[in-house]
Amino acid sequence: MGIRHKPGFLRSLNQAWRGMIYTVRTQKHMQFHVVAGISVLLFAWWSRVSRFEWLILILAIGSVISAEVMNSAIETVVDMAQPNYHPLAGMAKDVAAGAVLVTAIQAAVIGMIVFAPALLRFTRGIF
C-alpha cells in the first residue's frame, strides 16, 4: 500500500508552483535573482566547492529567492488593499524590499567568502 496524500496537498503544491511561476514571469528582480542563483551554482560546480560550501550557497540563494517571493506577495496585497498612494502602504513595500536587500547583501558576502580561494587560484594562473 503506497503513501496516500490528502486531496488538498497536491492542490496546495500546485498553487505554490503557480505563485512561483507568476513571480518569475512578472517580477524583473526575481528573474535577476534566479539567473544569479543559477550562475552561482554553475560557478560552484566549476570551482569544486566543498559539501559544506554547497549547503551554505544553497541556503543563501534560497533565502534571497524566498525574500523576493515574500516581497512580491506583500506588494500585491498592499496594491490590492490600497490602490491609491498612501505613505504607510509605500513604507510597507519599502520595508519588504529592504528585507530582500539584506538577504541579497548577505548572499553576496557569503559568495565572496566561499569563492575567494577559487578566484585567487584562477587569477594566479593568469598573471
Side-chain angles (χ1 to χ4, degrees), residues 40-125:
V40 167
L41 294 176
L42 290 172
F43 191 65
W45 173 77
W46 176 81
S47 60
R48 296 184 174 151
V49 299
S50 71
R51 178 178 284 186
F52 180 74
E53 290 167 329
W54 271 106
L55 294 173
I56 297 301
L57 290 171
I58 290 168
L59 183 60
I61 293 166
S63 296
V64 173
I65 289 175
S66 295
E68 187 62 51
V69 169
M70 291 305 298
N71 178 50
S72 297
I74 289 168
E75 287 183 356
T76 301
V77 170
V78 167
D79 289 345
M80 181 184 69
Q82 187 63 45
N84 301 319
Y85 176 77
H86 188 282
L88 289 176
M91 185 53 63
K93 292 168 97 173
D94 291 348
V95 169
V100 178
L101 179 62
V102 169
T103 57
I105 291 169
Q106 171 192 350
V109 170
I110 289 169
M112 286 188 277
I113 292 168
V114 168
F115 293 125
L119 290 172
L120 288 173
R121 283 192 309 272
F122 180 70
T123 56
R124 286 184 187 141

Side-chain angles (χ1 to χ4, degrees), residues 20-41:
M20 286 297 299
I21 290 167
Y22 171 82
T23 305
V24 171
R25 285 185 178 164
T26 63
Q27 304 299 312
K28 296 287 185 209
H29 289 122
M30 180 60 132
Q31 294 166 6
F32 172 81
H33 292 308
V34 168
V35 169
I38 291 169
S39 299
V40 167
L41 294 176

